[in-house]
Structure formats: structure tokens, C-alpha cells
Amino acid sequence: MKRWMIITGSIFVIALLIVRLIFTQAANSREEKKWYVTQLRLDFSAKVDSVKIFNKKTGLVFFHLTRGSIIKQAEKRLNKKLKYNGNLRFLYFTKTDEIEIVTSNAALYTAGDSLSVNTDLNSIIIYRNGGEAARAEVVESLRGRPF
């Protein structure tokens, strides 16, 4: 009887430790993504060229800069400092000098929209017809690989 209680108790403690480890890893990953975004130090405006939606929400937004600049190697340097996320990317550059982001809010964007991106504020503001149409967070547009 004692043996059964010791085995059950041990399994329970190990299960609790595993659950705690998973939650700690997830929290550290979220915090590191927020840190990553603020370290990008991007502040630019852009014009949406096209949007490609894969399902009801997720899609790609292609745009070109209208104000500001981007250092293409900044994300590569930041990825070397990541501990919990492996490899993150916010911007991808096409051969035609368009910039691409992936977003879980692709339905918010349409061709011709203006974007204002400020990573210090973790914000993407979408303007349409001279007014603000929607807001999104930069963190939601990060793509990551575990290696």
C-alpha cells in the first residue's frame, strides 16, 4: 500500500513540474517576443501593395516604404540574442523591393491602405480613406522557428 502511494505521489509531483516548466517556457517566450519587437526600433510608414489571405484570418501583406528606413540586418543580429524563441522574423524582403509581413489579421488590410509601424509602441496602424481603419500589434506578426 505504501509503495503504491509513493509511486502515485511521485508521478503527481513530476506531472506538476512538467506543467510548470511548460507554462514558464511559454511565458518566457512571450516576454522575449515583446523584447524583440522593442529592440527592432522601427518607425516607418508604408503603402499596401497587395494582400494574400490563406484562410479567414491569416495572410501575407505586401507593401513598400513611403517614410522611414529599415536596416535589413537588424533582425538577423537580434536573433543571435534570443534564448527561448530560436529565430524570429517580422519583415521579409522580396526581390522586387517589396516588404512582406505575415499577420493573423489579414482581413483588416486592403491594397492601397497606408500603414504606420512603430515597434517601440508595438503598433501597426492601418489608415484607409484618410482615417484610421484598424490597429494591430507587431508581436502578432512575428514568424518564428524553434531553431
Side-chain angles (χ1 to χ4, degrees), residues 7-144:
I7 291 172
T8 304
S10 298
I11 291 172
F12 182 72
V13 168
I14 290 172
L16 283 176
L17 289 173
I18 290 171
V19 168
R20 183 175 182 269
L21 178 69
I22 291 169
F23 279 107
T24 302
Q25 180 70 20
N28 288 339
S29 177
R30 277 191 301 273
E31 288 303 313
E32 188 173 65
K33 284 180 181 179
K34 290 177 185 176
W35 171 85
Y36 181 86
V37 168
T38 60
Q39 295 304 303
L40 286 174
R41 305 214 191 292
L42 296 173
D43 185 13
F44 64 84
S45 296
K47 186 89 163 181
V48 175
D49 297 321
S50 62
V51 179
K52 184 175 182 179
I53 299 176
F54 298 125
N55 56 38
K56 292 180 182 177
K57 293 184 177 183
T58 306
L60 299 174
V61 178
F62 297 91
F63 59 90
H64 65 275
L65 292 181
T66 56
R67 181 192 60 80
S69 63
I70 297 171
I71 300 170
K72 292 182 179 181
Q73 299 301 319
E75 290 189 86
K76 188 175 183 179
R77 285 192 298 261
L78 280 175
N79 278 318
K80 292 177 182 177
K81 298 178 182 180
L82 296 178
K83 182 177 178 183
Y84 299 103
N85 285 291
N87 188 15
L88 294 173
R89 293 292 289 197
F90 172 52
L91 303 172
Y92 281 85
F93 301 91
T94 66
K95 293 179 182 175
T96 59
D97 288 333
E98 277 187 320
I99 304 166
E100 165 194 330
I101 61 171
V102 69
T103 180
S104 58
N105 299 318
L108 297 176
Y109 301 83
T110 59
D113 286 350
S114 294
L115 303 178
S116 175
V117 177
N118 186 328
T119 57
D120 289 339
L121 302 175
N122 187 28
S123 72
I124 302 172
I125 303 173
I126 305 159
Y127 295 97
R128 186 175 303 135
N129 299 325
E132 185 177 318
R135 287 180 177 256
E137 291 186 343
V138 175
V139 170
E140 295 172 358
S141 295
L142 291 179
R143 285 192 260 189

